[in-house]
Amino acid sequence: MSEDRQPIPFAIETRNLTRRYGTLVAVDDLSLSVPAGSIFGLIGPNGAGKTTTLRMLAGLQEPSAGEIIFNGQRANGDWDHFRRQIGYMPDFFGVYEDMLVWEYLDFFARCYNLPAARRRQIVDELLELVDLAHKRDDYVETLSRGMRQRLCLAHALVHDPKVLLLDEPASGLDPRARVEMRELLRELGAMGKTVLVSSHILSELAELCDSLGIIEGGKLVASGPMAHLMRHAREGRVLQIRLLSDPDAARSLLSSQPGVGEIVTTAGALEVDFVGDDPATAALLAALIAGGHQILSFTESRGDLEEVFLRLTRGAEE
Ligand code: ATP
């Protein structure tokens, strides 16, 4: 008897979502499934259709065809209901510069008809969350770019949405501000929100996302859990092995094992090209130990997301 399987709850689904601008098909038959509570990265080069997809999901642009489904419910014209569940941060945004930081958030909280006491509370909580509490009474125009991005994110959170659509939230930020933004998104994930975040910088999403959709020319080239995509795209894995005992002796044992390809010595470690699944990898480690080699560390290098992307898009072209 097969086990009963619970259906995966998806916070966002699209079915054959399409958007045309005249003869240009900006989003082409896109079927995405974003698991509830996940951080999902939408990756693609400039002009791939990311912004158009997010704008349709935010109810700001009409699809030419296809369906959008939030938590199993079709978003069919009733956008007032769905907008309350969605926070959207566009790639380009204007801020009202001659307002104080707290006033800016309070203004948007008023738009959602939140009562005064609740507004005060939510504004303070959000300023804490995005690390702008110390700027509460400063003018928006005095904020740095990174601070403005964080303020804009706080704006998207004012109505406590379950789903966040963030269009290149780290664009234009310096490396440190990028790290801060990544930490903030991780925190939102830990709060149970579903985050759909776009970027054309692959490494930016590698550490952050549970799942990924790769989009090119409006089409979804690949999608799924990060680990599956990485495994699928790489023909094999690269193992990094550090030894206390003689690496040359380990080298000769390794090269006699099935699945082992090229072995390179770098900075005192062996880098081993290996084709094999998890049990085969465990067996390789066991063989080394049984052979009397003293192992300090045995790790799989994650590979480069850039390389994964290139392989997948190359596969799509072929
Ligand atoms: P980027 O990373 O540069 O922001 P993107 O992946 O977000 O790109 P979109 O902005 O969605 O891509 O654009 C997808 C395609 O649709 C592009 O070819 C773009 O030129 C085109 N496009 C977008 N908006 C319009 C519009 N209003 N009118 C005509 N074409 C448009």
Side-chain angles (χ1 to χ4, degrees), residues 15 72 124 153 157-158 164 204 206 210 215 220 256 282 318:
R15 291 194 191 139
D124 287 345
L153 183 58
L157 287 162
V158 144
L164 281 167
E204 197 165 277
D210 317 309
I215 181 173
L220 194 66
S256 67
E318 281 162 11

Side-chain angles (χ1 to χ4, degrees), residues 19-22 24-27 43-55 61 91-92 167-168 198-200 215 218:
R19 171 71 203 202
R20 293 185 203 94
Y21 295 110
L24 176 89
V25 188
V27 175
I43 276 277
N46 291 133
K50 303 179 297 291
T51 296
T52 308
T53 302
L54 291 187
R55 284 179 59 80
Q61 208 154 17
D91 52 351
F92 293 105
D167 198 356
E168 306 240 10
S198 79
S199 178
H200 62 277
I215 181 173

Side-chain angles (χ1 to χ4, degrees), residues 188-231:
L188 293 171
M191 287 162 72
K193 305 212 180 276
T194 304
V195 182
L196 175 49
V197 51
S198 79
S199 178
H200 62 277
I201 302 170
L202 305 166
S203 54
E204 197 165 277
L205 298 185
E207 295 290 311
L208 177 70
C209 295
D210 317 309
S211 300
L212 207 66
I214 300 179
I215 181 173
E216 207 194 14
K219 283 187 186 294
L220 194 66
V221 176
S223 154
M226 192 71 141
H228 286 197
L229 281 179
M230 300 287 284
R231 193 143 303 151

